[in-house]
Amino acid sequence: MESDDAEDSLVRPYTITRGRTAPQRDDLTLITVVTTVEPGDGRAAARRLEPEHRAILDQCRTPAAVAEIAAELDLPVSVTKILIGDLVSLGRVTTRPPLAAEQSGGLNVELLQAVRDGLQRL
């Protein structure tokens, strides 16, 4: 029975990414902040998306980091990045580096270490 569970856990991500195994975007990091953009046609367009896409849209009404989104969806980060890339292409979300990185003009090492430590505790 364990092998069936293992197969199911691999099939769903493969299905929702339509067989893609790597994100097309290379600018999405664990701490990239994602925010939902409301389209003009609202909920009608959302019905054509996968449930995971809709979950990302709901979660990102308040800006969230890629790592947070992946944890909430209980999906691998690579799969989450593919889904976020889809939503960026559709104009449904925007992405940006975290404010701390923008304000310092580069990466905030302390913030990165805090994110790493938090992920290790998961």
Side-chain angles (χ1 to χ4, degrees):
M1 196 71 172
E2 281 184 36
S3 96
D4 287 343
D5 290 340
E7 285 178 22
D8 287 345
S9 68
L10 295 175
V11 170
R12 181 65 184 149
Y14 182 84
T15 303
I16 61 175
T17 63
R18 296 180 187 99
R20 296 170 290 166
T21 58
Q24 292 179 342
R25 300 176 59 97
D26 60 359
D27 62 334
L28 296 175
T29 66
L30 290 175
I31 59 174
T32 298
V33 178
V34 182
T35 307
T36 299
V37 174
E38 290 298 328
D41 58 357
R43 299 250 183 231
R47 281 186 244 132
R48 293 188 293 266
L49 299 172
E50 293 287 342
E52 292 80 5
H53 287 113
R54 290 192 299 271
I56 292 170
L57 291 173
D58 287 341
Q59 183 179 356
C60 294
R61 291 186 195 289
T62 302
V66 170
E68 294 173 303
I69 298 165
E72 182 68 26
L73 292 176
D74 195 25
L75 287 173
V77 172
S78 60
V79 172
T80 304
K81 287 180 179 182
I82 292 169
L83 297 174
I84 292 169
D86 293 345
L87 292 170
V88 169
S89 296
L90 292 170
R92 300 297 305 270
V93 298
T94 60
T95 61
R96 64 169 173 77
L99 291 177
E102 286 178 348
Q103 292 167 352
S104 69
L107 294 177
N108 182 328
V109 176
E110 290 175 17
L111 178 63
L112 290 174
Q113 288 172 338
V115 169
R116 182 197 64 200
D117 294 344
L119 289 173
Q120 286 175 342
R121 284 192 294 269
L122 291 176

